[in-house]
Amino acid sequence: MLTPIEFEEVRFVCSNSGVDETRRAMNIGTRENIAELLTLLAEKQEQVVHSLSPDSRARLDRMKLLLAALFAFPLFHSLHAPAVFRTRIDTTAGSFVIETHRDWSPKGADRFYELVREHYYDNSRFFRVVPGRWVQFGIAGDPKVAQAWRHKTIPDDTLKVHNKPGYVAFSNTGPRTRSTQVYINLRDNSALNDSEPAFAPFGKVVEGWDVVEKLYGGYGENSGSGMRAGHQDKIFEGGNAYMDKEFPKLDRLIRAAIIPDK
């Protein structure tokens, strides 16, 4: 959030630009809102710059710098996910919704929330679909983005709910290795995964289960396999170009977005 002084600065600029857009500043706190306000200020400056006093033009320039700084640093993002939030996943097979409960896996929920807000999952592939077992996704389609996040791991959480059908958790290679890859249990995998806290589920599919079940699984383990198998380097290096060439039938994750509270 902006401080009261900074808010007054924004209101001053909007007022002097001849627009009633002050409300945009009140809820500022996400990169999307900040980017929107930056665009607004740039547009209005072009329209009214000649009518502004030198002091007003100087203040407008200072506000643009301030907003650019806010946009650049994730410090201004909420550090924690909401207690409960829903994420809509749009795919080439349809859409489904994951409901995340932070008390199930606080660190896992926070990381998933962060990745969705950063649009990390957008335009990626469901690269590991084994019918009757699990669906896995979470390697960004852009190799540079995927490599940048690959080793940004988070600590484990205490397992509180089980790896039953529909429950969602982070894939990993061992303790303290969760990063971006996520799997959805298509069956009860409690006996296999519950013994390790790194597999603590953070959410559950609450809508669109039929979509999850029909994601293309013809390649099985051959289109990427799990993190522990050690066969993912080509995905990280080649991204979507590699996946689309070698495994063209894979379903695509078009967009992941937090569903606003009503």
Side-chain angles (χ1 to χ4, degrees):
M1 296 292 289
L2 295 177
T3 67
I5 293 176
E6 291 165 346
F7 173 78
E8 290 301 322
E9 292 260 29
V10 173
R11 183 165 63 180
F12 175 89
V13 171
C14 290
S15 175
N16 277 274
S17 298
V19 290
D20 182 20
E21 296 290 351
T22 305
R23 67 184 182 276
R24 294 177 186 267
M26 296 183 67
N27 295 319
I28 203 164
T30 68
R31 294 190 177 194
E32 292 82 0
N33 288 338
I34 295 169
E36 182 182 11
L37 189 52
L38 274 170
T39 301
L40 168 73
L41 293 179
E43 292 173 350
K44 296 305 175 181
Q45 184 181 29
E46 290 297 321
Q47 294 176 19
V48 303
V49 65
H50 297 297
S51 65
L52 293 176
S53 68
D55 286 343
S56 295
R57 287 199 298 269
R59 185 166 295 188
L60 180 59
D61 288 336
R62 288 198 300 272
M63 279 309 308
K64 289 172 68 178
L65 288 173
L66 170 64
L67 290 169
L70 286 171
F71 183 81
F73 291 99
L75 170 66
F76 295 92
H77 283 214
S78 173
L79 297 178
H80 298 303
V84 179
F85 67 93
R86 289 190 170 196
T87 303
R88 178 186 173 92
I89 310 290
D90 295 325
T91 83
T92 45
S95 299
F96 62 93
V97 174
I98 296 173
E99 183 174 272
T100 298
H101 292 253
R102 191 171 185 274
D103 60 338
W104 292 357
S105 174
K107 297 180 182 66
D110 290 348
R111 172 53 62 89
F112 185 66
Y113 186 67
E114 177 184 19
L115 291 167
V116 172
R117 293 179 72 191
E118 293 287 344
H119 303 287
Y120 174 87
Y121 295 117
D122 294 4
N123 191 26
S124 59
R125 305 293 181 263
F126 291 94
F127 61 86
R128 186 193 186 199
V129 179
V130 182
R133 300 185 70 181
W134 43 60
V135 167
Q136 190 167 328
F137 63 94
I139 299 178
D142 183 336
K144 292 182 179 179
V145 175
Q147 293 283 14
W149 280 90
R150 188 174 187 177
H151 301 297
K152 290 185 178 180
T153 59
I154 57 174
D156 297 335
D157 285 308
T158 301
L159 188 140
K160 296 182 179 179
V161 295
H162 301 290
N163 280 275
K164 293 183 177 181
Y167 283 79
V168 186
F170 276 96
S171 303
N172 60 83
T173 58
R176 300 176 297 281
T177 60
R178 296 183 296 174
S179 56
T180 64
Q181 297 185 48
V182 170
Y183 69 92
I184 303 170
N185 289 289
L186 297 180
R187 70 176 187 187
D188 189 342
N189 289 309
S190 299
L192 180 66
N193 289 345
D194 280 5
S195 60
E196 299 183 40
F199 287 120
F202 61 81
K204 181 181 181 181
V205 175
V206 293
E207 294 180 21
W209 183 244
D210 60 320
V211 173
V212 175
E213 289 191 310
K214 68 181 181 183
L215 292 169
Y216 185 77
Y219 299 120
E221 297 282 6
N222 297 318
S223 53
S225 191
M227 295 173 69
R228 299 188 177 199
H231 302 312
Q232 296 186 339
D233 286 347
K234 290 184 178 180
I235 304 177
F236 280 96
E237 294 167 1
N240 286 342
Y242 166 76
M243 298 301 288
D244 293 346
K245 179 182 178 181
E246 299 296 329
F247 308 102
K249 294 183 180 181
L250 289 177
D251 276 299
R252 303 183 180 191
L253 193 161
I254 300 169
R255 181 173 182 262
I258 305 298
I259 300 175
D261 293 332
K262 295 182 180 179

